[in-house]
Amino acid sequence: EDCFELETDKSLGYLSVSVVGTALCTAIGVNMLDVFNPDSLLTLPVWTAYSAVTGTVAMGLWVLAHECGHGAFSKNKQLQDAVGYIIHSIMLVPYYSWQRSHAVHHQYTNHMELGETHVPESVADDDDG
């Protein structure tokens, strides 16, 4: 039960870590432009590694935005929607329409026939073919 308690302070802490981490990665990348010319194939391994690290760090922001859409960031709905709206907007994803379409997406999660991600063939389907 303790896992499912909304803790705004903890959520804001995760948000702070993600924002600072993403900002640091971005600053490092901007400074790397002076040293590693992205037009050169020789620097491809460096930029590939940078992209993997920065993408992983920035994924924390998407996870938090996703949790806002699920109502799992804070008991304070205004704060939750503000955080979700800002992060989604930065990522060019409309928050409220995403929140609605994502709720529809989850409506049939684990339903044997109407689920979107994995719908196994029924025994009747196996008999036909």
Side-chain angles (χ1 to χ4, degrees), residues 68-125:
C68 288
H70 278 290
F73 185 82
S74 172
K75 289 179 185 175
N76 182 333
K77 185 164 172 30
Q78 285 183 318
L79 174 65
Q80 179 168 267
D81 284 342
V83 170
Y85 183 83
I86 291 167
I87 298 173
H88 273 80
S89 296
I90 290 168
M91 296 183 177
L92 303 178
V93 177
Y95 177 65
Y96 293 104
S97 56
W98 176 87
Q99 189 179 41
R100 171 72 182 125
S101 66
H102 195 63
V104 170
H105 154 78
H106 277 294
Q107 183 176 4
Y108 295 111
T109 298
N110 296 329
H111 190 284
M112 289 298 286
E113 296 173 354
L114 300 176
E116 296 178 4
T117 55
H118 177 69
V119 181
E121 291 185 31
S122 67
V123 175
D125 290 342

Side-chain angles (χ1 to χ4, degrees), residues 50-71:
Y50 168 77
S51 298
V53 170
T54 303
T56 301
V57 172
M59 185 67 177
L61 290 173
W62 173 251
V63 169
L64 290 166
H66 180 265
E67 293 308 303
C68 288
H70 278 290

